[in-house]
Amino acid sequence: MSTASVARSARLGPLISIASVAAFVLLWYEAARLGWASSLILPAPGEVLDTALQMLNDGYRHVPLWQHVAISLGRALAAFAAALVVGIPLGLAMGLSPILSSILDPFVQFLRPLPKLALIPLVIVWLGIGESSKIFLIFVSTLFSVIVGAAAAAGSVKVGRLRLARAFGATRRQQLWYFVLPSALPEIFTSVRLAFGVGWTTLIAAEMVAADSGMGWMVINASSYMRTDIVMLGILLLGVTGYLLDLAVVGLQRAVVPWAGRE
Amino acid sequence: MPIGKYVILAAGALAGLLALPPLSQAEEVPAVVRFGYLNGPRPWILGKADQSFDKALGTKVQWINFPNGPNELNALAAGEVDIGRIGSVPTVSALVRKVPIKVIAVSGVIATSERLIARKGIDSVKALEGHAVAYPPGSTAHYALLAAFKVHQVDVSKVRQVQLKPGDLLAAWKRGDIDAAYVWGPFSQQLEGENGHAILATKDLQPAGYFLFNDYVVRKEFAEKYPGLVVKFLKTFGDTVARYKADPDGSAAIIAKELDQDPAAAKDTLAGLIYPPLNEQRTTAWLGDGHDSGNAVITKSFADTARFLVEQGELRAADLPSDFAPFIDTSFLAKAVAAP
């Protein structure tokens, strides 16, 4: 492809995306209108919209809709922050120190793929049924992806550069600050993005633990009464919020590491 | 005379065929019939233990376990369960949301099998103010708890209500995170074993008009295609109740072993339900006979439960049917009772 045609498709990109979403909604609308599936199995877009409008007025189960979104977002962000604070230094340290990596790697590799639902009974015993257990569940599912990403990023720092830095007498702190971090950061951002995605999916599991608010709880509770319209609405909210969160991380990445991908 | 021999054979075969009942009468049997069951000890589990349902239906029965009623409800909506035992509250959610099922019988009335367990020192429902109470959401126990609050004029804003799955109750109780829970066996007995005591049982709410029970539902499509199997199912269920009544201790032991639960707790739960005889269920005291079902106790309690769930904000008023009688089909019950 020529440079001009690449630029043209880049401009067309958003338009194509909008058209594809519109086509999907139209298909959904038609499927419901033509009765391909009952409203129990596939609520019509209009029904979901009605439910959304009614909830904007009355809330869901005595809690305003925005508060459900805010509570879930608060839980996730608290967990993400903790995962970054713990995960990035630990991952970098593992990436730079083969001994530390050998010590911790078995635990990281064991815990990372573990289905987090399996931890619920233990988390209740350890942390109870308050906010801490919900945040902890999201934290553990995010943490290990952050660690693995940061370790890989630190490991990918070009050895030649570090040797050069040492030859010029850079201290360990200077090595870390001027050489390791700048080349590791873009990769760390990418892994953080993926880790947030993983963490966000744990929201439902986290809000299965004695919650009475939040988008995940909304979906679970509504499914107990076969309110598929609310389930759909909850899923849409979860998806859109997750999408916006991802956009925020991408924006942050552009601002913090503008040199990413330009080496 | 080979030809003559064949003629005689053919004539004989034809006579044999005519002597058999017409083919249309013989109902086709699916390769597998899927039963949905919950963890609560119930008489029909006897039929799981000795495969008497497999024998009666003449095909393989697949028993699918669900941790709670709402989960079974989702499977029913997906058409993954043919016949299921489920609580009256999830049943109402299903009927209101137009899940294609029919209610075919009452399996048992909840008397003491579900109770409100509180810590020592909390001796009444009113005393729950200022404490945390847990319940499985969307269940008969949830409904009973809210009804108990109403009956005993509890200030709900002073009670911390905690939604927990039955399996998670014990951990929260042991940590001291909850002070009471409304739940069924074997979980109620587990809490009682940890310094809990019952301050209310579901039957205590009956005088105030709250009637809670378990019922059997069948997938509409299945009932239309295999009505004979539904009749055989009900008859076999009746047999298991009779066996339980004849030998409660022995039955409880078998059921506990089948469900891998404590025998004493299973016995306690089994004794905490009332099993209305099948031949009495076609009166208005229960399901009615199809013509008077609108006035039947079960129909009315479905309507009460539905109104209550609307009040709670769980169901939409616009979804409520004017009458629950059309969802009850006692024709299978009539045949099961008449069958020898």
Side-chain angles (χ1 to χ4, degrees), chain A residues 38-41 43 47 50-51 54 60-62 117 120-121 123-130 208-212 217 221-230, chain B residues 70-71 73-74 77 89-90 93-94 97-100 135 137-139 142 146 160-165 168 171-172 175 177-178 309 311-316 319:
Chain A
S38 74
S39 82
L40 170 74
I41 291 166
E47 192 187 343
D50 281 348
T51 307
Q54 182 239 320
Y60 180 56
R61 297 291 316 275
H62 320 299
L117 276 172
I120 288 183
V123 168
I124 293 178
V125 176
W126 292 340
L127 297 168
I129 53 176
M208 278 170 91
V209 184
D212 53 11
W217 172 80
N221 193 67
S223 84
S224 298
Y225 301 93
M226 295 278 14
R227 286 295 300 275
T228 33
D229 52 328
I230 301 178
Chain B
N71 283 8
L73 187 58
N74 290 334
V89 173
S93 306
R97 293 293 295 152
K98 302 187 182 63
V99 176
Y135 58 89
S139 66
H142 179 188
L146 294 172
R160 211 180 130 228
Q161 296 184 44
V162 183
Q163 298 197 345
L164 277 178
K165 282 188 293 180
D168 294 335
R175 278 180 45 91
D177 288 332
I178 54 173
L309 291 176
E311 234 172 80
Q312 292 295 315
E314 303 290 12
L315 296 177
R316 262 187 307 216
D319 284 346

Side-chain angles (χ1 to χ4, degrees), chain A residues 1-23:
Chain A
M1 249 197 290
S2 71
T3 333
S5 80
V6 169
R8 201 169 54 238
S9 16
R11 265 201 316 278
L12 276 175
L15 281 179
I16 296 171
S17 297
I18 291 167
S20 107
V21 171

Side-chain angles (χ1 to χ4, degrees), chain B residues 81-101:
Chain B
V81 166
D82 299 314
I83 299 175
R85 176 183 79 77
I86 194 160
S88 51
V89 173
T91 304
V92 166
S93 306
L95 297 178
V96 169
R97 293 293 295 152
K98 302 187 182 63
V99 176
I101 54 170

Side-chain angles (χ1 to χ4, degrees), chain B residues 79-136:
Chain B
E80 297 292 320
V81 166
D82 299 314
I83 299 175
R85 176 183 79 77
I86 194 160
S88 51
V89 173
T91 304
V92 166
S93 306
L95 297 178
V96 169
R97 293 293 295 152
K98 302 187 182 63
V99 176
I101 54 170
K102 287 175 164 184
V103 177
I104 51 168
V106 174
S107 83
V109 176
I110 300 162
T112 58
S113 61
E114 290 186 7
R115 29 189 200 253
L116 181 52
I117 316 291
R119 284 189 197 285
K120 292 263 152 64
I122 302 174
D123 296 317
S124 70
V125 182
K126 185 81 180 156
L128 288 173
E129 288 178 359
H131 293 284
V133 186
Y135 58 89

Side-chain angles (χ1 to χ4, degrees), chain A:
Chain A
M1 249 197 290
S2 71
T3 333
S5 80
V6 169
R8 201 169 54 238
S9 16
R11 265 201 316 278
L12 276 175
L15 281 179
I16 296 171
S17 297
I18 291 167
S20 107
V21 171
F24 173 78
V25 173
L26 192 72
L27 183 71
W28 175 13
Y29 178 82
E30 281 298 305
R33 193 178 64 90
L34 297 172
W36 291 353
S38 74
S39 82
L40 170 74
I41 291 166
L42 185 72
E47 192 187 343
V48 176
L49 191 68
D50 281 348
T51 307
L53 291 176
Q54 182 239 320
M55 278 190 193
L56 282 175
N57 284 327
D58 310 337
Y60 180 56
R61 297 291 316 275
H62 320 299
V63 178
L65 200 55
W66 67 265
Q67 213 166 310
H68 285 294
V69 177
I71 284 168
S72 289
L73 208 52
R75 283 172 184 149
L77 289 178
F80 291 168
L84 294 185
V85 169
V86 177
I88 292 181
L90 206 58
L92 287 178
M94 280 173 71
L96 296 174
S97 154
I99 294 172
L100 190 68
S101 173
S102 306
I103 295 172
L104 294 178
D105 202 51
F107 299 98
V108 172
Q109 297 311 337
F110 170 78
L111 288 167
R112 193 169 60 105
L114 200 69
K116 302 305 175 285
L117 276 172
L119 291 176
I120 288 183
L122 280 180
V123 168
I124 293 178
V125 176
W126 292 340
L127 297 168
I129 53 176
E131 284 304 309
S132 48
S133 56
K134 298 174 187 69
I135 294 171
F136 180 79
L137 273 170
I138 305 172
F139 166 73
V140 285
S141 69
T142 317
L143 175 69
F144 298 105
S145 299
V146 173
I147 291 180
V148 170
S156 71
V157 175
K158 296 205 172 60
V159 185
R161 282 191 197 173
L162 275 181
R163 280 210 195 108
L164 194 69
R166 268 184 230 127
F168 277 98
T171 61
R172 279 202 83 99
R173 177 189 285 263
Q174 282 169 328
Q175 285 174 39
L176 186 69
W177 194 247
Y178 293 107
F179 291 88
V180 177
L181 267 185
S183 46
L185 259 182
E187 223 178 294
I188 290 177
F189 258 102
T190 308
S191 65
V192 162
R193 238 183 110 183
L194 292 173
F196 281 8
V198 174
W200 192 246
T201 59
T202 318
L203 198 64
I204 294 254
E207 291 183 347
M208 278 170 91
V209 184
D212 53 11
S213 57
M215 290 179 278
W217 172 80
M218 217 171 105
V219 168
I220 298 161
N221 193 67
S223 84
S224 298
Y225 301 93
M226 295 278 14
R227 286 295 300 275
T228 33
D229 52 328
I230 301 178
V231 171
M232 280 273 201
L233 179 65
I235 290 171
L236 285 176
L237 282 176
L238 276 168
V240 169
T241 319
Y243 191 28
L244 292 178
L245 204 65
D246 189 59
L247 285 182
V249 177
V250 173
L252 202 65
Q253 182 177 19
R254 285 208 187 113
V256 177
V257 281
W259 62 86
R262 289 187 199 158
E263 212 158 331

